[in-house]
Amino acid sequence: MAIFRLSQLLVQTKKLSKHVHFILRRPATTTPTGAILPEPEKKPFGLLSIVMAVIPGLLIGAAISKNIANFLEENELFVPSDDDDDDD
């Protein structure tokens, strides 16, 4: 997916460079003559893509932490004591 987006960006840059001369070292909002560049294309499914990236990350992180907690408890490296529950 990233390669596809990079190729699209490269094609768009080649199209712009034929008509507009600007410095590629930094983002530009105007051409050297002072004309304003067109508005960038909006990415479809913006919020959906964020959700699709965050949810798997949370699920994978929860599974890893659960497995590590089970490992620590089985090997008696960390065992919660019952004394911590008492209110003195």
Side-chain angles (χ1 to χ4, degrees):
M1 179 111 172
I3 295 172
F4 177 70
R5 288 186 179 175
L6 287 174
S7 64
Q8 279 185 336
L9 182 64
L10 183 62
V11 169
Q12 289 175 355
T13 304
K14 286 182 180 179
K15 288 179 185 177
L16 280 176
S17 64
K18 291 179 185 176
H19 304 292
V20 179
H21 300 290
F22 58 92
I23 300 172
L24 293 176
R25 288 180 278 157
R26 63 179 178 86
T29 56
T30 60
T31 63
T33 60
I36 298 174
L37 292 174
E39 184 177 340
E41 293 181 19
K42 293 185 179 181
K43 305 276 189 225
F45 307 111
L47 184 60
L48 181 63
S49 63
I50 291 171
V51 169
M52 296 303 289
V54 170
I55 296 296
L58 289 174
L59 292 175
I60 291 170
I64 291 171
S65 64
K66 179 181 173 184
N67 289 335
I68 291 174
N70 286 335
F71 173 78
L72 292 174
E73 191 169 351
E74 286 174 8
N75 293 319
E76 296 182 1
L77 297 172
F78 174 75
V79 179
S81 64
D82 293 334
D83 295 338
D84 293 338
D85 295 337
D86 295 337
D87 292 326
D88 292 329

